[in-house]
Amino acid sequence: MDNYPLLNIFWTMLELFLWILWFFLLFKIITDIFRSEDMGGWGKAGWTIFVILLPFLGVLVYLIARGGSMHQRDAEQARRADAAFQDYVRRAAGSGGASGGASTGHVEDLAKLADLKNSGALSEEEYRRAKDKLLA
């Protein structure tokens, strides 16, 4: 390593960084090609072949031709994922959806059991058995 100058080390690190950056961009573009709903199968196949066979030129042409709408497709996917997550949370919490009635019923029943235990109508053992039966 004594005969490898410091400037060459920085140059090698820059080349490695740019190479990794280019791979990231290539994967991002391939993901965008297959996620795009406004492009047909032949268009997706054509862009994929172009990006793979002529990688640098293909990536640059794709960014020029369709780069402006990449953000819109990313935002739409994020919006759909958020909506799906919110729907899942609502269904799991019992405030809507198909399983809403069952979840709310269990919560209400557990609250009633806790009230009965706190009022002294149920012993600790009876409360535990009823809770285990309800949750089973």
Side-chain angles (χ1 to χ4, degrees):
M1 289 304 285
D2 292 337
N3 60 354
Y4 199 69
L6 183 63
L7 191 58
N8 284 355
I9 292 173
F10 288 132
W11 184 252
T12 303
M13 288 174 59
L14 178 66
E15 287 176 345
L16 181 66
F17 173 74
L18 290 176
W19 189 64
I20 291 170
L21 183 67
W22 181 80
F23 267 115
F24 174 77
L25 185 61
L26 179 68
F27 293 139
K28 178 77 171 154
I29 286 175
I30 290 174
T31 302
D32 187 66
I33 288 171
F34 287 105
R35 182 179 39 213
S36 179
E37 294 177 359
D38 62 340
M39 196 181 336
W42 286 107
K44 290 178 182 183
W47 273 113
T48 303
I49 290 170
F50 185 48
V51 166
I52 290 174
L53 290 181
L54 298 170
F56 293 111
L57 182 64
V59 166
L60 291 176
V61 170
Y62 187 85
L63 286 176
I64 291 168
R66 297 181 48 88
S69 59
M70 285 176 70
H71 171 70
Q72 293 168 350
R73 286 186 289 279
D74 283 343
E76 178 63 24
Q77 182 198 16
R79 188 196 60 75
R80 281 190 300 229
D82 187 52
F85 176 72
Q86 294 295 330
D87 184 49
Y88 169 75
V89 168
R90 276 190 218 96
R91 283 187 286 122
S95 63
S99 65
S103 296
T104 312
H106 285 311
V107 171
E108 290 173 0
D109 291 342
L110 286 171
K112 289 177 186 175
L113 280 175
D115 288 340
L116 288 172
K117 180 186 160 224
N118 291 339
S119 68
L122 290 176
S123 68
E124 181 66 35
E125 183 181 327
E126 292 171 330
Y127 170 74
R128 195 174 331 111
R129 274 188 280 139
K131 185 174 104 175
D132 290 340
K133 183 178 178 183
L134 183 64
L135 294 176

